[in-house]
Amino acid sequence: MKVESALHILWMKLTNKEFLKFLISGGLNTLATYGIYLALIDFVDYKISYSISYVCGIVISFFLNALFVFKQKVSLRSFIKYPIVYIVQYLINLLMLFALVRIFHIPEIFVPLIVTVVTIPITFVLSRLIIRTN
């Protein structure tokens, strides 16, 4: 009974308005960064393309999350702290990217979408924590 109750509470928290806005924001950010990735992949190695699009995604994400999702004023302090979430996520994503392309032979154009979906809940919690604690 307790597990069901805890799962219900978790589900309610994840489906609140803020989380739904986070998903919309994340969807827009994913489309933008995926477009950047695809635009670059013909000119540079997929790892470099991913890295450049990832950095662009951090900046886009910060502004979307601060202004649209969490309705907070943009501050230099939170902008500087925000990438901390993504440094850890980046290393995990890069490892997953490599494994999915090299070991599991998933096409390079699909892999960034897979690794992004895997890290959504973690990113939500950490983003909210950093943006709200100016």
Side-chain angles (χ1 to χ4, degrees), residues 1-18:
M1 232 18 181
K2 288 183 181 182
V3 172
E4 289 176 3
S5 178
L7 289 175
H8 177 71
I9 290 168
L10 178 62
W11 175 251
M12 294 305 290
K13 286 186 177 212
L14 291 178
T15 57
N16 71 21
K17 198 176 204 180
E18 196 172 72

Side-chain angles (χ1 to χ4, degrees), residues 58-105:
I58 292 171
V59 175
I60 295 167
S61 176
F62 173 76
F63 285 102
L64 285 173
N65 286 330
L67 301 172
F68 173 67
V69 177
F70 304 118
K71 298 191 187 278
Q72 300 291 311
K73 290 183 179 180
V74 174
S75 74
L76 183 59
R77 182 177 175 177
S78 62
F79 182 74
I80 290 170
K81 288 183 352 183
Y82 195 72
I84 293 169
V85 173
Y86 290 93
I87 291 170
V88 173
Q89 182 193 28
Y90 173 77
L91 295 173
I92 293 168
N93 285 359
L94 199 57
L95 180 64
M96 287 175 58
L97 183 80
F98 177 80
L100 292 173
V101 170
R102 295 291 178 131
I103 297 169
F104 297 103
H105 306 290

